[in-house]
Amino acid sequence: MKRLILIIYIIGFLSCDNFLIKEPLDQITNVTLTYTAEECKLYVNQYYTSFWGSPNSYIYHIDRGSDNLLSYNYNDNPDLIKDLRVVPATGEGWGTQEWGNIRSVNFLLNNYLKSQELEEAEKYIGEAHFFRAMFYFEQFLKKFGGAPWIETELTLDSEELYFPRLKRNELADKILADLDWAIEKIPSKNMQETGRVSKEVAMLYKARVALFEGTWEKYHARTAFAGEGNARMYIEEAAKMSLAVMNSGLFELDNVHQVDGYHALFNRWDYSDSKEVMLWKKFDRSQGYWHDDNRNPGRNGAGVGLTRSLVEAYLCIDTDGKARPIHLASGYKGDDNLLDVVANRDPRLSQTLFIPGRPRTIEGKDTTIIFTKPNINYSDTEKCSTGYELAKGADPDAEEQVTVTGSIKGSIIFRYAEALLIYAEARAELEQITQSDLDKTINKLRDRVNMPPLTIEVGYADPYGEFTAARGYEGIPVSNILQEIRRERRVELACEGYRHDDLKRWRAHHLWNYGKIQGAKTVQFKDLSWLVKYFDSYPIPLAISGGREKFFQNVAKWTPECTEGNNYWTDEEGYFAPYQRYIPDGHFQFDPDKSYLLPVPTEQLVLNPNLKQNPGWE
């Protein structure tokens, strides 16, 4: 009976309609394909739609459920709320679509040697190896910790159907080997076709995978999630690969010393001339290809909000010109209102967070709608959930907010800043970090926004650092310099989709469970006198205000009326608490004994008895 179930499943698997292109996945044969270079290129093209930044999701919302960004809906946090996630029967990341991607790539890798244009075709085969590595890393290593390694086309009689899962380090090694193949065969950026994965992108991705696995092995040692790999070896490889990208001489940071340059980096239609963006996704209305990523974020809160935790992570430029944590800086003005929050702070904060006066919508040269206060009184999907409204990736260009056709703002897939951050972190993890390393990595990022440089001595010890006992950390000790490099990573890459992975590889569940689920202080929106005073001397765009008197009438109150317990909730400390109704104690409940990995669906355990369930989900 079990064999019959398996056959039915595989038949469904081989004829699935989820594939982006059915040919050649289940119909093209060796007769119809000659594996010319052009055919290999067209075959690989289908995988480019797998990159993050799809037309159906906000790419700057991927951090939802981390300690960076909160959705209005507490159900968007299945791993952070007790018993919200259960073992699924099928799907949930381990199903036909995920394994279909692997099978699809394997078809090409198993047959391309028949090509009569092998030398020219191999660069596309390199891309195929890159995508197989990406599918295994994103879909299986990060989420499940291990999976069977399949590199042939499956049939109903394939013994691979009953393979056990590789150990996580074994799977990581297979992924890195695929990336080595890609690095060897794919052309460098200056020789590669526009819009395709380059050798340097493959190097950066290998650095990302190696750093993830190395730090996972290090910080999860002696736990149920420990691997058996050499953590130091992986971290050394991350340093090597990121340095290779840096030494290529092909990349540098954009918008250095430009006013609002960090914010502008994430709001371009075309990155063809960017020195920083290594790979991006282009959209074109004339081809019917656009996305919704800028529709709500440009006009309203889009159902999310930055956390108090993220906002407080940004350093303060103190009265002596040095950068310090807010708890140690005499120049910190507090968080009584949005203007105080960003005063004397790392400029990236006011370019990530909407503050009064920032353009929200620009319609030609005469009409500008400016941000005055967060939209906490809108419908759930349009409100700001925390009082700290996300500005990163919110393009004020009115054409980008068109209701009918949506946005053609380019989606960044890889950018050079990540290489700098990986190298700095890897060197610090290896206890080899030098001032020279900081100057060519962290301080390049800081210099872009005119932030004081980081020194190897740091100059302070943050009493409330993320990896201190004061924040509930009980893991492997983290050096002072490494804490600051991790802070820099959080700030530079905020809301770009890295934070979940970082917290998991650092075994940092305390940052979910110890800190409160909070946003801004609510009192500032009950008494708006500070805001009215600010705009009293602010050059208000008359084209949208209907005159100063009407403008001030709108600034001084919520429209429609915003009420406590209806549009927002306040905790006992006076901060926005978007999940107050559901989590009264104000803390997430990440279970460190099971939630670091997803459960394998029960159907898969029946189909393949050699699969084992992940810890805590048995």
Side-chain angles (χ1 to χ4, degrees):
M1 180 65 182
K2 185 180 294 181
R3 182 68 175 174
L4 177 60
I5 293 173
L6 182 62
I7 291 174
I8 292 172
Y9 172 77
I10 292 300
I11 290 173
F13 173 78
L14 297 181
S15 62
C16 176
D17 289 330
N18 286 337
F19 300 138
L20 295 168
I21 303 174
K22 293 194 71 172
E23 302 273 20
L25 306 189
D26 58 1
Q27 294 180 19
I28 286 185
T29 68
N30 294 338
V31 175
T32 59
L33 266 184
T34 59
Y35 303 97
T36 64
E38 183 65 16
E39 285 177 338
C40 290
K41 173 183 176 179
L42 293 175
Y43 190 101
V44 172
N45 282 353
Q46 65 183 295
Y47 305 124
Y48 279 85
T49 61
S50 302
F51 279 126
W52 34 98
S54 74
N56 300 317
S57 64
Y58 297 148
I59 62 173
Y60 297 105
H61 287 190
I62 302 176
D63 272 0
R64 286 184 310 171
S66 71
D67 59 344
N68 281 354
L69 196 69
L70 297 178
S71 165
Y72 75 92
N73 186 354
Y74 88 108
N75 285 304
D76 288 342
N77 306 278
D79 297 313
L80 306 180
I81 297 175
K82 186 176 177 59
D83 299 328
L84 198 55
R85 184 183 292 281
V86 297
V87 179
T90 186
E92 297 295 323
W94 187 303
T96 304
Q97 181 173 348
E98 290 76 24
W99 286 106
N101 288 332
I102 303 298
R103 177 180 182 271
S104 169
V105 179
N106 285 339
F107 179 92
L108 182 61
L109 296 180
N110 291 171
N111 290 287
Y112 81 92
L113 288 174
K114 301 170 185 176
S115 175
Q116 298 300 307
E117 302 175 356
L118 192 57
E119 184 175 351
E120 179 64 19
E122 277 195 329
K123 64 182 179 181
Y124 303 114
I125 304 307
E127 293 181 32
H129 277 280
F130 172 91
F131 282 110
R132 184 169 68 180
M134 188 184 84
F135 292 144
Y136 261 111
F137 179 61
E138 302 291 341
Q139 297 170 351
F140 296 109
L141 183 62
K142 287 199 307 186
K143 294 179 180 178
F144 296 97
W149 178 261
I150 308 296
E151 53 187 24
T152 60
E153 298 171 72
L154 297 180
T155 68
L156 297 180
D157 298 316
S158 296
E159 63 178 8
E160 290 92 338
L161 295 172
Y162 299 103
F163 274 7
R165 295 201 282 169
L166 293 184
K167 297 176 181 178
R168 67 170 302 120
N169 58 292
E170 293 173 338
L171 182 56
D173 290 345
K174 292 282 191 182
I175 291 169
L176 295 175
D178 258 353
L179 291 171
D180 283 336
W181 215 103
I183 291 166
E184 180 182 352
K185 298 297 183 180
I186 299 175
S188 182
K189 179 177 173 60
N190 54 358
M191 300 293 292
Q192 177 62 301
E193 299 168 64
T194 300
R196 305 194 75 85
V197 170
S198 67
K199 178 189 295 290
E200 292 75 25
V201 163
M203 288 176 175
L204 176 57
Y205 195 68
K206 185 181 181 187
R208 182 190 295 182
V209 173
L211 184 68
F212 183 95
E213 190 58 21
T215 50
W216 181 287
E217 295 269 9
K218 177 178 178 177
Y219 292 98
H220 286 273
R222 295 178 295 279
T223 74
F225 303 103
E228 298 178 19
N230 186 322
R232 188 174 184 88
M233 179 190 70
Y234 289 126
I235 296 170
E236 287 174 345
E237 190 64 18
K240 176 184 173 182
M241 286 293 101
S242 54
L243 183 61
V245 174
M246 293 161 59
N247 287 343
S248 71
L250 295 171
F251 309 99
E252 58 189 49
L253 299 180
D254 289 344
N255 304 345
V256 175
H257 297 163
Q258 290 185 16
V259 175
D260 213 37
Y262 178 78
H263 183 267
L265 174 64
F266 305 100
N267 292 313
R268 295 177 58 177
W269 293 7
D270 193 313
Y271 289 96
S272 299
D273 62 351
S274 171
K275 282 288 190 178
E276 179 170 354
V277 176
M278 299 172 64
L279 187 66
W280 61 288
K281 185 176 292 188
K282 182 179 177 61
F283 297 88
D284 187 340
R285 286 194 182 94
S286 68
Q287 300 295 319
Y289 192 44
W290 55 74
H291 60 85
D292 292 332
D293 197 36
N294 202 64
R295 183 176 298 171
N296 280 346
R299 298 179 302 153
N300 54 58
V304 299
L306 302 178
T307 64
R308 178 188 178 190
S309 170
L310 174 61
V311 170
E312 291 189 346
Y314 290 77
L315 295 173
C316 180
I317 304 174
D318 216 344
T319 51
D320 61 0
K322 295 182 179 180
R324 295 187 178 91
I326 59 173
H327 314 288
L328 300 176
S330 59
Y332 177 55
K333 292 186 176 295
D335 60 358
D336 285 342
N337 62 64
L338 294 177
L339 296 174
D340 284 349
V341 163
V342 300
N344 304 324
R345 302 290 294 282
D346 183 330
R348 285 170 293 189
L349 177 55
S350 62
Q351 297 179 50
T352 301
L353 164 70
F354 263 114
I355 61 171
R358 173 172 288 283
R360 185 184 279 286
T361 303
I362 300 175
E363 299 180 5
K365 65 179 182 179
D366 298 322
T367 304
T368 300
I369 299 173
I370 58 174
F371 177 87
T372 56
K373 51 190 178 292
N375 293 313
I376 63 174
N377 54 304
Y378 282 18
S379 65
D380 284 343
T381 57
E382 295 185 336
K383 73 193 305 180
C384 172
S385 62
T386 67
Y388 287 137
E389 193 166 319
L390 176 64
K392 189 173 187 176
D395 192 337
D397 190 302
E399 194 169 354
E400 285 294 279
Q401 302 169 10
V402 174
T403 303
V404 177
T405 59
S407 172
I408 58 170
K409 181 178 66 179
S411 292
I412 298 173
I413 301 172
F414 293 97
R415 66 182 180 102
Y416 180 54
E418 185 188 358
L420 304 183
L421 291 162
I422 289 175
Y423 185 70
E425 183 181 343
R427 292 282 286 174
E429 287 284 5
L430 296 168
E431 299 182 348
Q432 297 173 345
I433 190 79
T434 66
Q435 186 63 49
S436 176
D437 293 331
L438 293 176
D439 290 341
K440 63 187 179 185
T441 57
I442 301 301
N443 290 334
K444 291 281 188 183
L445 297 169
R446 288 192 175 192
D447 183 60
R448 185 208 320 246
V449 293
N450 298 311
M451 271 288 288
L454 175 63
T455 62
I456 199 71
E457 300 85 7
V458 180
Y460 56 80
D462 186 355
Y464 297 101
E466 292 182 352
F467 298 91
T468 61
R471 295 287 289 276
Y473 183 60
E474 299 176 342
I476 295 173
V478 176
S479 69
N480 206 20
I481 188 65
L482 182 54
Q483 287 207 71
E484 291 309 310
I485 290 170
R486 289 182 178 182
R487 182 202 301 274
E488 191 70 26
R489 180 178 176 90
R490 183 182 190 183
V491 165
E492 176 66 28
L493 300 178
C495 303
E496 293 181 52
Y498 294 87
R499 189 62 174 175
H500 281 281
D501 291 346
D502 288 345
L503 294 183
K504 288 188 175 182
R505 66 187 176 91
W506 295 331
R507 198 168 182 268
H509 53 269
H510 68 288
L511 292 176
W512 274 306
N513 294 349
Y514 189 82
K516 287 288 192 74
I517 308 167
Q518 294 175 320
K521 279 187 176 177
T522 59
V523 67
Q524 64 186 301
F525 306 118
K526 298 175 182 178
D527 178 1
L528 292 163
S529 58
W530 62 275
L531 190 59
V532 174
K533 181 179 179 181
Y534 172 72
F535 279 114
D536 191 45
S537 59
Y538 186 89
I540 301 168
L542 296 180
I544 59 92
S545 69
R548 293 182 66 85
E549 182 178 348
K550 183 177 180 181
F551 177 83
F552 280 115
Q553 288 175 356
N554 291 332
V555 167
K557 64 182 180 66
W558 293 109
T559 305
E561 189 64 25
C562 188
T563 58
E564 175 82 34
N566 181 32
N567 307 102
Y568 67 94
W569 288 261
T570 307
D571 67 12
E572 70 279 2
E573 296 181 61
Y575 292 90
F576 275 91
Y579 306 144
Q580 183 86 359
R581 293 169 293 172
Y582 310 105
I583 312 176
D585 68 357
H587 296 275
F588 280 126
Q589 300 161 319
F590 184 93
D591 187 342
D593 294 324
K594 69 177 183 180
S595 295
Y596 275 108
L597 294 176
L598 295 179
V600 179
T602 54
E603 181 183 83
Q604 301 304 315
L605 300 175
V606 173
L607 293 173
N608 182 358
N610 289 317
L611 293 179
K612 303 300 180 185
Q613 185 57 276
N614 276 325
W617 298 103
E618 297 90 346

